[in-house]
Amino acid sequence: MEEFRRAYARLCAAPQDAVLRRLRERGEAPGRARLDLAEQSLSLETCGALGRLLPGAAHFAEVALGDCGLSEDGGRGAAPGAAGGLRSLLFQGNNLRTTGAEALGKLLRQNKSIRSLILEWNSLGVWEEGFSFFCQGLGANNFLQRLDLRNNQINHHGAGELAVALKRNASLQELDLRWNNVGLLGGRALLSCLQSNKTLKKLELAGNNVPSDILKAVEQAMDHNRDRQTILSETQNRTCVLSKEILNLKDEKTKQFLDLMDTIDKQREEIARSGRISAGRVSQLQEALNEQHSIMNSLKAKLQMTEAALALSEQKVHNLGELLSATKQEQANMAERHFAELQQQKQEGADREGKLFRDLSASNEKNLFLRNQVDELEKKCKVQQDQLFQLKQDLTNTTAELKLRAVQAEERLEMEKRRFKQSLEDMESLRLKEVDHLTQHMEASERSMQDRVQRLEAIRIALEEELSQVKAAALTERSHAEEELIKVRNQARLDEQQRLEHLEEKLRLMTEARDEAQNCCLKQKQMVGEAQVKANQLSLHADGLRRRIEELQQDLNSKEQEKVTEVNKVKVELQEQIGHLQAERTAQEGLREKIAALERQLKVLSSNHREALLDKEGEISVLMEKLRMKEADISRMREEEAQRASILQNAIMAYVQGSSLGTHSLRK
């Protein structure tokens, strides 16, 4: 304010004290201040200074220059000052005429900030050309909301110019034309312009010699405009509120949908990870089973080897028994014949006994070696049992975790179902574009889910193929082992046949020696007793050896039974593990079925949502048809009112033309 006062004092050679005094007064905040120079006689120099200073002054929102006695030149100089950021301009009681009207028309054509213009108690309507220029500026302005033209000597020509301006103007809401000379023709012109102007809410025509029916028609038009403005404002407010709610709903639904998809993706990732872990563990267990099968096959081969060795030892013992019996007979015969041969036979028996002792020691060593191998196998079996126990514990833990995750997933899915149902009830008012977008997104997610399910099925098929390949390899290994056993048995049979042939040759030689011994038996009867004693001692020793062999056979049989029981236990445990794995596989299949059921439920919900949206669209179309019917009724009523107004106008014109007094008054 102080800067404005200094600028005014600098521009004016003789600044007015009253103006300076008003400028010294402190007003409101910048942008809301009011410059009140009403009832001050302003000079031309002051008006020119105000016209130059006010466009650059953003302090004032309202300027009051009423009753200042401005001349035509003063009004022309002060009017450009309102081109700044003013909101209200008061020019009442200044007797503005032609030049003032032209200056105000130019101001209205250029200004975009003035909302209220007070011009009462002037003479703008005296000169038709100046007022027509003012009306042209009013028609070009789309920002002025209030215009006061009371007591401006506006006649019916000026009213016609105003009517033309009002047809072009789309912002003026209040127009005050009281105490002018509008008359009947001006009233008709203003009434006709109201058919195209829908923004004017208040039109004052009192004191203008306008008939009452035209005033009533004007009031009805104003009521209609006010109702229209209120309806438009309400619809705008509703549309704003609805648009905000729709945006909020969009954001919420997108967030909920994204959260739901994130949870579903996380659950699928967890299921896939658990499936991979279980597949890895299944492969590990399968490898362990294969190792157990290979170990069992090796144990079976070793047992078969030991059985073959035991059979060979039994055959050797049997052969030795036969040989002992044959030697007894031969010794009995040879005792009679040759004592020397008996000595040789003794030596041969001693050699044979040494061989037998060596064979027995070798068999004992083999038994010890087999015992050590059996102990090692028992240790391996214990280690494998521990590993199997750990694997069982891991399997139980994984099954428990999978069950907990499945329960959590089901709970989350139920919660998401509830939220999704509530969101569907709220989403009934969305538009077609949002529905299309959501459906496309859901179809893409469904495609991705189907692709993932297909991938999981392909992985499962690959695992089954690997299991079948492993089983085929195990069968081939088993067939190879059986072929090797057959070869070993055939080789053992050939060895036994060769030994039998060798023994038959020995028997033949012994028969020949027996014949010779029978000839010498008579000579050596004396040595028979001693030979019999020695033979008895040898038989006792052979019996001891037989008992020892029987004990060893019993030990081997007991160990074989223990091995068989342990093998059966391992088989039972492996079968239990296979059953657990099959149970886990069935549980995974149940989870897949649940996922498929949930996907079907989502499809059903989406279809229900689409149907509900289609129903809502049908209701909206029905409501739009009702609105069209209402608008048609309103247009029909407007046409009827226009027809009635035209009928009244025609009647009034006929009445005026019929009366000479009315014509004289109109000419005056």
Side-chain angles (χ1 to χ4, degrees):
M1 186 72 79
E2 186 66 25
E3 292 178 358
F4 188 82
R5 186 182 63 78
R6 290 175 183 173
Y8 168 70
R10 188 171 58 252
L11 286 174
C12 293
Q16 293 179 348
D17 295 333
V19 176
L20 292 172
R21 189 165 52 252
R22 290 291 179 90
L23 291 174
R24 286 193 187 95
E25 295 177 356
R26 290 186 179 180
E28 296 180 356
R32 296 182 181 180
R34 184 174 185 271
L35 179 59
D36 189 2
L37 298 176
E39 299 178 359
Q40 303 291 330
S41 60
L42 301 179
S43 63
L44 289 173
E45 188 178 10
T46 300
C47 292
L50 291 173
R52 287 194 295 272
L53 290 174
L54 285 174
H59 300 282
F60 306 112
E62 182 178 351
V63 175
L65 298 175
D67 299 325
C68 292
L70 298 176
S71 62
E72 290 291 318
D73 295 330
R76 185 174 57 188
L86 295 178
R87 305 284 294 178
S88 178
L89 183 61
L90 285 75
F91 265 118
Q92 72 270 22
N94 284 298
N95 197 20
L96 298 175
R97 296 189 180 184
T98 306
T99 55
E102 291 177 355
L104 290 171
K106 186 177 180 182
L107 172 66
L108 291 174
R109 191 183 294 274
Q110 296 175 356
N111 187 273
K112 295 182 181 180
S113 62
I114 292 176
R115 300 292 183 268
S116 177
L117 182 59
I118 309 299
L119 297 173
E120 63 174 332
W121 292 104
N122 285 290
S123 299
L124 297 175
V126 173
W127 299 98
E128 294 179 359
E129 294 179 358
F131 191 70
S132 66
F133 194 81
F134 172 79
C135 291
Q136 290 175 5
L138 178 62
N141 187 290
N142 287 319
F143 299 96
L144 188 66
Q145 296 178 357
R146 182 187 176 193
L147 179 60
D148 191 350
L149 293 174
R150 289 178 291 177
N151 292 303
N152 272 278
Q153 299 181 13
I154 300 170
N155 55 12
H156 62 280
H157 294 289
E161 295 290 337
L162 274 175
V164 173
L166 290 174
K167 288 180 181 179
R168 295 166 54 196
N169 187 281
S171 64
L172 192 65
Q173 297 179 2
E174 296 181 9
L175 178 59
D176 196 346
L177 293 174
R178 288 179 291 180
W179 314 111
N180 285 293
N181 296 319
V182 173
L184 177 62
L185 296 176
R188 286 178 182 175
L190 291 171
L191 181 61
S192 65
C193 79
L194 293 177
Q195 293 180 0
S196 60
N197 190 320
K198 303 297 181 182
T199 58
L200 193 63
K201 295 191 290 186
K202 186 176 180 182
L203 178 59
E204 298 288 345
L205 293 174
N208 280 283
N209 296 321
V210 178
S212 61
D213 54 354
I214 294 175
L215 291 175
K216 289 180 181 178
V218 169
E219 288 178 359
Q220 288 178 0
M222 292 298 101
D223 293 335
H224 182 70
N225 286 339
R226 281 195 290 272
D227 294 336
R228 185 174 179 278
Q229 289 293 326
T230 54
I231 290 166
L232 286 173
S233 63
E234 288 177 358
T235 53
Q236 287 176 358
N237 293 325
R238 287 179 183 176
T239 51
C240 292
V241 172
L242 288 172
S243 62
K244 289 180 182 178
E245 289 180 356
I246 287 165
L247 290 173
N248 292 325
L249 287 171
K250 282 183 182 178
D251 295 333
E252 289 177 359
K253 297 306 171 185
T254 51
K255 288 179 182 178
Q256 290 178 1
F257 186 75
L258 291 172
D259 293 334
L260 190 141
M261 292 304 295
D262 291 333
T263 53
I264 289 169
D265 291 332
K266 288 179 181 177
Q267 289 173 3
R268 286 177 181 169
E269 288 176 358
E270 289 178 357
I271 291 166
R273 188 171 62 255
S274 62
R276 289 194 295 272
I277 292 167
S278 62
R281 289 182 178 174
V282 167
S283 63
Q284 290 177 0
L285 289 170
Q286 190 65 34
E287 290 176 357
L289 285 170
N290 293 326
E291 290 178 357
Q292 290 292 327
H293 283 300
S294 62
I295 291 165
M296 291 297 296
N297 291 323
S298 63
L299 287 171
K300 285 179 181 179
K302 288 178 181 179
L303 287 170
Q304 289 174 359
M305 292 293 287
T306 52
E307 286 176 357
L310 286 170
L312 290 172
S313 64
E314 287 177 356
Q315 288 178 0
K316 286 180 180 180
V317 169
H318 183 68
N319 293 324
L320 288 170
E322 290 178 354
L323 289 170
L324 285 170
S325 63
T327 51
K328 285 180 181 179
Q329 290 177 3
E330 288 174 357
Q331 284 176 3
N333 293 320
M334 290 293 287
E336 293 176 356
R337 292 180 180 182
H338 297 287
F339 181 75
E341 289 180 359
L342 285 171
Q343 288 180 354
Q344 290 178 358
Q345 288 176 359
K346 287 179 182 178
Q347 290 178 358
E348 288 176 0
D351 294 329
R352 288 175 182 175
E353 286 177 358
K355 289 180 180 179
L356 288 171
F357 281 119
R358 286 192 295 275
D359 292 328
L360 287 172
S361 63
S363 64
N364 288 322
E365 288 176 357
K366 287 181 180 179
N367 288 323
L368 290 171
F369 180 72
L370 290 170
R371 285 180 184 177
N372 292 323
Q373 287 182 352
V374 167
D375 293 330
E376 289 177 358
L377 290 171
E378 286 177 355
K379 290 179 182 179
K380 288 181 180 178
C381 287
K382 287 181 181 179
V383 171
Q384 289 173 358
Q385 287 177 359
D386 294 331
Q387 290 178 357
L388 289 169
F389 183 71
Q390 289 179 359
L391 289 170
K392 286 180 182 179
Q393 288 181 351
D394 294 332
L395 285 169
T396 53
N397 293 323
T398 53
T399 51
E401 289 177 356
L402 287 170
K403 288 179 181 178
L404 289 172
R405 288 176 181 174
V407 171
Q408 290 177 0
E410 289 177 354
E411 291 177 354
R412 289 178 182 173
L413 286 169
E414 289 177 356
M415 293 295 290
E416 293 297 330
K417 282 180 184 178
R418 294 173 185 171
R419 291 180 182 174
F420 193 67
K421 287 180 181 178
Q422 293 178 359
S423 64
L424 285 172
E425 293 176 356
D426 295 330
M427 286 276 288
E428 290 178 354
S429 62
L430 291 176
R431 295 181 181 176
L432 289 170
K433 291 182 181 179
E434 297 171 355
V435 173
D436 293 331
H437 180 69
L438 288 173
T439 52
Q440 290 175 3
H441 193 69
M442 287 294 289
E443 288 174 356
S445 63
E446 287 175 359
R447 292 194 194 97
S448 63
M449 289 169 72
Q450 289 176 0
D451 293 332
R452 290 178 182 174
V453 170
Q454 290 176 359
R455 289 174 186 172
L456 290 171
E457 288 178 355
I459 292 165
R460 182 177 62 77
I461 291 164
L463 289 172
E464 288 177 355
E465 290 177 354
E466 288 178 358
L467 286 171
S468 63
Q469 291 176 0
V470 170
K471 287 180 181 178
L475 291 171
T476 53
E477 288 177 358
R478 186 175 180 181
S479 63
H480 287 303
E482 287 176 355
E483 289 175 357
E484 288 177 358
L485 285 172
I486 291 165
K487 289 178 181 179
V488 170
R489 285 177 182 175
N490 292 324
Q491 188 67 32
R493 286 176 184 175
L494 292 171
D495 293 334
E496 287 176 358
Q497 288 177 0
Q498 290 176 0
R499 287 178 184 176
L500 286 171
E501 290 174 356
H502 183 67
L503 289 170
E504 285 175 357
E505 289 177 356
K506 283 185 177 181
L507 285 171
R508 186 174 57 79
L509 293 171
M510 291 295 290
T511 53
E512 290 176 356
R514 184 186 64 185
D515 292 334
E516 292 177 357
Q518 284 178 359
N519 294 320
C520 294
C521 186
L522 295 172
K523 294 178 182 180
Q524 293 180 353
K525 286 181 179 179
Q526 294 177 359
M527 299 298 292
V528 170
E530 295 178 357
Q532 287 178 354
V533 172
K534 289 181 180 179
N536 290 324
Q537 290 179 356
L538 290 169
S539 64
L540 291 172
H541 188 67
D543 292 330
L545 291 172
R546 286 178 183 175
R547 292 190 193 95
R548 182 66 178 168
I549 289 164
E550 288 177 356
E551 289 176 357
L552 291 171
Q553 286 179 354
Q554 289 178 358
D555 293 331
L556 287 171
N557 290 323
S558 63
K559 287 181 180 179
E560 285 178 358
Q561 290 178 357
E562 290 177 356
K563 293 291 180 183
V564 170
T565 53
E566 288 178 356
V567 168
N568 291 323
K569 287 180 181 179
V570 171
K571 287 181 179 179
V572 170
E573 289 177 355
L574 291 172
Q575 288 177 358
E576 289 178 355
Q577 289 178 0
I578 291 164
H580 287 301
L581 292 171
Q582 290 178 355
E584 288 181 356
R585 186 179 292 173
T586 53
Q588 289 179 358
E589 290 177 355
L591 289 172
R592 289 173 183 170
E593 291 177 355
K594 287 181 180 178
I595 290 165
L598 290 172
E599 289 176 353
R600 290 193 292 273
Q601 289 178 0
L602 287 172
K603 289 179 180 178
V604 171
L605 290 172
S606 63
S607 63
N608 292 327
H609 179 60
R610 290 174 185 172
E611 291 176 357
L613 287 172
L614 291 172
D615 295 333
K616 291 295 179 182
E617 287 174 0
E619 292 177 358
I620 289 164
S621 62
V622 170
L623 291 172
M624 291 296 290
E625 289 178 358
K626 288 181 180 180
L627 285 171
R628 291 192 191 96
M629 294 293 289
K630 292 291 184 182
E631 288 178 355
D633 293 334
I634 290 165
S635 63
R636 184 173 54 78
M637 290 173 70
R638 286 177 181 172
E639 289 175 357
E640 289 177 357
E641 288 178 357
Q643 289 177 1
R644 288 175 185 173
S646 63
I647 290 165
L648 288 171
Q649 186 176 0
N650 292 325
I652 291 164
M653 290 294 292
Y655 175 74
V656 170
Q657 289 176 2
S659 63
S660 60
L661 293 172
T663 55
H664 287 296
S665 63
L666 286 169
R667 287 174 183 175
K668 288 178 181 181

